[in-house]
């Protein structure tokens, strides 16, 4: 199967809609929108720069990808912060999707899973020229710190999915704040920045309190999604493929998960299906800028 996804220059500002987030085994939870943030303190955050990329060949299959040159960093030093393009003004506090008039979509992964499986999935995306957004759980970063570098080295985006993946929307403010800030500290320690995006655990929407705490921690926007693959229920690769391709549209933010073999198996067909429709899988920052 040949994937001919190509990256293009970043395009005009995208409109976002309101929502929250989910995770591995997440259940739905209601929430309010919260006030819009006027500033974006995460501009100096982890993730790929929006500039030109260097061509890189994939393995035997001849698939070509365009990988951004990763910054240099030794294993004993933090990964340097990478400048991200400023987000356009007027985005809502909780973002569900981008512009419906473009050609881009964002595949977002709730981040915790076995290293081999994660590496396989990222490699498949890169061979297809795709870039994804990973929302990492703090305990997973503690257990697999090398994967933070692996995500960024591949040109992907890395963000915050709470420290312990608990039901953050039902927590008292102090406990919920700790879930956000402790994961942010792990990201900062490993990469030099907290990442641009926060996604609450076990909730599709953040409550007003959680959205406020996220802003206070340096995340002006909560990242939700408009396409739920339900891959965490392990329905099989074909069901995951159908769920994504049956609902995806230009500007969609798709919820997927690490740690599920069916997701890894479904990804090539998902990427091929996007390509056949003229859609590109890009980071969330690229989608919105």
């Amino acid at each position: 199967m040949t994937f001919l996804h190509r990256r293009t220059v970043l395009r005009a500002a995208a409109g976002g809609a309101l929502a929250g987030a989910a995770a591995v085994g997440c259940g739905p939870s209601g929430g309010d929108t919260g006030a819009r943030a006027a500033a974006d303190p995460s501009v100096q955050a982890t993730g790929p720069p929006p500039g030109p990329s260097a061509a890189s060949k994939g393995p035997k299959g001849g698939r070509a990808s365009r990988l951004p040159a990763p910054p240099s960093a030794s294993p004993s030093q933090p990964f340097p912060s990478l400048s991200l393009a400023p987000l356009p003004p007027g985005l809502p506090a909780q973002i569900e999707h981008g512009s419906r008039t473009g050609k881009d979509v964002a595949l977002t992964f709730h981040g915790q899973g076995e290293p081999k499986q994660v590496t396989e999935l990222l490699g498949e995306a890169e061979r297809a020229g795709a870039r994804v957004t990973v929302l990492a759980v703090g305990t997973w970063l503690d257990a697999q710190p090398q994967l933070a570098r692996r995500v960024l080295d591949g040109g992907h985006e890395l963000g915050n999915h709470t420290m312990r993946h608990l039901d953050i929307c039902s927590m008292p403010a102090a406990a919920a704040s700790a879930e956000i800030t402790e994961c942010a500290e792990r990201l900062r320690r490993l990469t030099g920045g907290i990442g641009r995006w926060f996604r609450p655990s076990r909730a599709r929407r953040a409550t007003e309190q959680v959205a406020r705490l996220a802003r206070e921690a340096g995340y002006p926007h909560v990242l939700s999604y408009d396409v739920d693959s339900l891959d965490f229920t392990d329905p099989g690769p074909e069901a995951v493929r159908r769920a994504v391709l049956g609902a995806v549209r230009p500007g969609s933010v798709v919820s997927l998960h690490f740690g599920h073999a069916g997701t890894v198996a479904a990804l090539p067909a998902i990427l091929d299906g996007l390509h056949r429709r003229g859609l590109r899988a890009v980071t969330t920052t690229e989608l919105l800028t």
Side-chain angles (χ1 to χ4, degrees):
M1 187 180 300
T2 300
F3 301 98
L4 301 177
H5 298 276
R6 300 182 185 276
R7 303 183 70 195
T8 62
V9 294
L10 301 179
R11 297 197 304 280
L18 306 181
V24 181
C26 289
S29 175
D32 299 319
T33 302
R36 295 185 179 184
D40 184 0
S42 63
V43 169
Q44 291 293 327
T46 57
S53 57
S56 172
K57 288 186 177 180
K60 295 180 183 178
R63 305 175 196 167
S65 62
R66 298 183 63 81
L67 299 175
S72 60
S74 70
S76 62
Q77 296 176 337
F79 198 100
S81 293
L82 299 175
S83 296
L84 294 177
L87 294 176
L91 291 178
Q94 301 198 58
I95 295 171
E96 183 178 287
H97 62 77
S99 172
R100 296 303 193 186
T101 62
K103 297 287 187 180
D104 293 341
V105 300
L107 303 182
T108 67
F109 289 83
H110 306 254
Q112 55 181 354
E114 290 300 318
K116 181 178 179 182
Q117 205 173 66
V118 170
T119 300
E120 182 181 353
L121 189 151
L122 293 175
E124 190 63 53
E126 289 153 17
R127 284 189 289 274
R131 297 295 175 266
V132 305
T133 300
V134 177
L135 292 311
V137 176
T139 52
W140 179 68
L141 292 173
D142 282 348
Q144 309 293 343
Q146 76 282 3
L147 291 180
R149 287 178 188 275
R150 175 62 186 86
V151 169
L152 295 180
D153 280 342
H156 310 289
E157 203 163 14
L158 187 63
N160 183 328
H161 193 37
T162 77
M163 186 63 204
R164 298 169 187 85
H165 199 265
L166 304 174
D167 184 2
I168 191 171
C169 290
S170 68
M171 290 181 171
S177 177
E179 282 294 303
I180 300 169
T181 58
E182 288 179 25
C183 185
E185 180 54 35
R186 265 53 172 195
L187 288 165
R188 192 191 306 278
R189 185 189 311 160
L190 291 170
T191 71
I194 67 170
R196 167 166 275 166
W197 305 112
F198 166 73
R199 175 170 286 174
S201 50
R202 300 186 183 275
R204 182 161 185 160
R205 295 182 59 85
T207 61
E208 184 175 353
Q209 172 177 273
V210 170
R212 173 179 58 79
L213 294 171
R215 288 195 299 274
E216 292 172 358
Y219 300 100
H221 305 283
V222 173
L223 180 61
S224 185
Y225 50 87
D226 65 317
V227 177
D228 190 349
S229 69
L230 297 176
D231 60 341
F232 63 87
T233 65
D234 294 316
E238 177 58 22
V240 174
R241 183 196 69 81
R242 287 197 308 267
V244 173
L245 295 181
V248 73
R249 294 193 287 155
S252 283
V253 176
V254 182
S255 171
L256 294 154
H257 295 75
F258 286 165
H260 297 269
T263 304
V264 179
L267 187 61
I270 290 171
L271 293 172
D272 188 50
L274 294 176
H275 169 63
R276 291 175 185 275
R277 299 183 192 185
L279 297 173
R280 295 173 291 259
V282 301
T283 67
T284 305
T285 291
E286 289 175 305
L287 177 70
L288 296 172
T289 54

